[in-house]
Amino acid sequence: MIQDTAASKRSTQNLEEVDMMHKAKFVGLAAGLAAAVAFGTGSALAQDKKGAPAKKAAAAGGGEQFFPVLSYRTGAYAPNGIPFANGFLDYLKLVNARDGGINGVRITFEECETGYATDRGVECYERLKGKGPTGATLFHPLSTGITFAVTDKSFVDKIPIVTFGYGRADSVDGTVFGWNFPLGGTYWDAADMLVQHVGKISGGVDKLKGKKIALVYHDSPYGKEPIALLEERSRMHGYQLLLLPVTHPGVEQKATWLQIRQQRPDYVFLWGWGVMNSTSIKEAVATGYPRNQMYGVWWSGAEPDVTPAGDGAKGYNALTFLAPAGQGQVHKDIIKYVHDKGDATGKKEGFGEVLYNRGMVGAMMSVEAVRRAQIRHGRKPLTGEQVRWGLENLAIDQAAIKRLGFEGFMTPISTSCVDHRGDSEAGIHTWDGKQWVVQKGVRLVADQAIIRPMIRASAEKYAGEKKIVRRDCAKESQQ
Amino acid sequence: MFYRENGQFKSSYAADQQLLPILQDRVFMVALVAFAFVVVPLVVSDYVFLSLLIPFLILALAAIGLNLVVGYCGQISIGHAAFMAVGAYAAYNLVLRIPQLNFLIVLVLAGLVAAAVGMLFGIPSLRIKGLYLAVATLGAQFFMDWLFARVKWFTNYAHSGSVQTAPVELFGWSIDSPQEKYVFLLAVLILFTVIARNLVRGHIGRAWMAMRDMDVAAEVIGIRPVYAKLSAFAVSSFFVGVAGALWGFVHLGSWEPAAFNLTLSLNLLFMIIIGGMGSILGSFFGAAFIVVLPIVLNQLPQFLGIPMSTAMISHLEFMIFGALIVFFLIVEPHGLARLWAIGKEKLRLWPFPH
């Protein structure tokens, strides 16, 4: 009985969607025929695709939850994109193979290659947002540029954009950015942590006065995000900030490192991605800049970043966000349920490496968000709008982390309607020539007293430019 | 048989000089415009609008603009994305600083700003030509990239250099659904196409073409190179500036300076080379080729039901796309527009071709 109503609800929902798509009363008139003939890639096929899984779902009983996966396995950022995507997909496969889905709702997914290019990423977003019986669950754009572009669309499409450890720093404010979830930390947090860390090494942040900190950054929204915070901190502590942009894809950095050779900064913060990271480290070797004075953001501290530089990378440090390298209980499960069944994603590239694990954590938080949302909306395929409730009420505590097999790979996180980031905490790890070693006793927490007013001001500006009405979280929680 | 003009006598200058002198062409064009305005918004899905049609319409406008200076006036430019950027940032700043301005006025003003900048960067064309000029226009590209990335005033001091815009509003009509965007852009494009068609067959266009075919000869018959070349740059940049403003406001909604980088400049140039230099129609063909084909290729394996990794599909997409460009250039160096013209010639003679 319950299943029947669920199925019928879904089908009416489909009809509604189709109706909305055309925005016209007389869709039936020749529409199907013309669409099939003139626009083979268009609506007719999209409708078929929407219809088919719904039927299958009704037969299986539990239904299907669709996860779009934007990945990049080609181009300058592929060395970092591949392990992340593998980890993400392997975990989704594990949930299906081990648990039979999320409370019986099976996971389906589809990959789309963005090449880290914003226009293709937006195209992928449009392509995947309507698939599956209930549409896309949530998106991991995996690029700050794509995040900026799809943030605008999220208000209309009502699909959450999860950007854990990247994305817009001001999107922490859930009352303006209703659909963005920079879970676990933003670049402002990361920059703040790094300044605190080098301050501690120098004997207190006040000792930073007169020192020079160089930021070598990818000249894109990703690389530019931390600048605002570093400038704010520079005003507070009096260090000199050198901004050294590197243009995409980042293989040409001779001029940048010439400046570093001339200026001799006390610390270099590296905000790179893909081949840019390894090039920076190689250039540091060539310039003779000590690697142990270099600190990367959490996206500049994985195996593909250091291995091309060989021994030269020894001593290089980076923030380690939620998941360091290594293997735990969940990896054993993945080997048992996914890899041994011959279902591994790709060629098992990067298994147990930093980015693979981070991809896995990303998938896990997404799955947990759906599980959480099921408590409120029932054990059935959920729409993006329903999943948002799960993301806003995420509560992954230490016990849950242990139960899920992620012990040691992430810190507890809990979110709310107002705070879309949750808790942010990171450590520092150092490359010893063979592997990443986490520095003992270093736990960094960003100073929210500095960041909160910045978030408020920036979100206010965005709301003004976009003419967005703030959400009333207190009112929504009463419903 | 169907495409024959016997019996269509022109008895006045006006009839002889109209844009589409052949009846069949007029009927076809009216039907096409009616189809684009009425049928397409009803049958096409949001995905096709947002990923294919809207980028196609805007880039077709930009390609027409570039074609005016490269195809008609013979002045090669590989910096036209820079003028798109000028248009986009000019529109952004106008909307930001004078919010009560109507968007149509913003578009025109943005186009004028781009035209002024285009004329400035067109000055070298008075002394140098060919590849040397191409390199000089590259300077425009790099300068604008630098300007919008580094001078914070243009981006309203945004943290990451990325700017946002609110949905476009015209006389209380908020253009935010894909269908509305499409209809609005289509109207703008048709307007500009008609303007461009009339410009190139008038005395201005003839001056440009004379300049392109042989500048010394043109000068001898009384065409002033300063006027001809700079007007080509100005009009071209105006078109491209409007396209840039539309690209930012209607298509992207929020963008970073990299949205108007060298790749876009080169893509625009490829559009007119593949579509047909010195042909308005060719700009449409070229834009369709560059915008739509890669996306169709990317989805082809899935529609055919061939299981393939996304990386493999991407590699194949690049290879096939590249191969097709080479193929079309070898088969018809004058572009797809020329293929279309040949098809029309054949139709006229059909069924007795000679």
Side-chain angles (χ1 to χ4, degrees), chain B residues 231-309:
Chain B
S231 65
F233 264 99
V235 174
S236 165
S237 305
F238 182 86
F239 274 58
V240 170
V242 170
L246 293 172
W247 188 252
F249 275 74
V250 182
H251 179 52
L252 298 175
S254 77
W255 70 91
E256 55 200 90
F260 299 100
N261 60 6
L262 184 61
T263 317
L264 184 61
S265 276
L266 292 176
N267 272 339
L268 289 177
L269 203 58
F270 294 157
M271 278 176 205
I272 64 167
I273 292 174
I274 293 165
M277 295 252 239
S279 159
I280 302 289
L281 180 69
S283 314
F284 285 84
F285 285 145
F289 189 91
I290 297 280
V291 172
V292 179
L293 194 67
I295 293 173
V296 170
L297 282 176
N298 194 271
Q299 301 193 34
L300 211 54
Q302 209 192 350
F303 282 121
L304 298 176
I306 305 167
M308 209 183 269
S309 81

Side-chain angles (χ1 to χ4, degrees), chain A residues 20-24 26 30-31 34-35 38-39 41-43 45 49 71 73-74 110-113 118 120 123 126-127 129 131 145 148-149 152-153 168 188 217 219-221 224-225 227-228 231 245 458 461-462 465-467, chain B residues 35 39-48 50-53 92 96 149-150 152 155-162 164-167 177 179-180 251-254 256-257 294-296 298-299 302-303 310-311 314-315 317-318:
Chain A
M20 268 165 52
M21 222 194 279
H22 298 313
K23 266 199 159 177
F26 42 98
F39 300 96
T41 55
S43 60
L45 281 167
K49 286 204 170 279
S71 59
R73 296 174 179 277
T74 60
E110 186 177 325
E111 249 188 286
C112 186
E113 170 79 27
T118 302
R120 290 309 286 268
E123 193 266 319
E126 295 292 346
R127 196 195 294 184
K129 75 178 182 193
K131 293 204 172 171
F148 272 78
D152 298 339
K153 297 171 183 289
R168 301 183 66 105
W188 288 352
Y217 65 98
D219 200 2
S220 68
K224 289 179 190 166
E225 274 287 308
I227 295 174
E231 281 174 343
S458 183
K461 192 171 144 200
Y462 183 88
E465 283 180 356
K466 281 284 185 192
K467 301 185 180 130
Chain B
F35 177 80
V39 183
V40 170
L42 292 182
V43 298
V44 170
S45 70
D46 283 6
Y47 169 72
V48 175
L50 293 169
S51 298
L52 301 177
L53 290 178
Y92 170 74
L96 183 77
R150 299 286 166 260
K152 302 245 167 143
T155 52
N156 194 22
Y157 305 94
H159 295 306
S160 52
S162 181
Q164 293 89 34
T165 63
S177 83
Q179 286 87 349
E180 287 166 331
H251 179 52
L252 298 175
S254 77
E256 55 200 90
I295 293 173
V296 170
N298 194 271
Q299 301 193 34
Q302 209 192 350
F303 282 121
T310 50
S314 281
H315 291 311
E317 177 201 318
F318 281 122

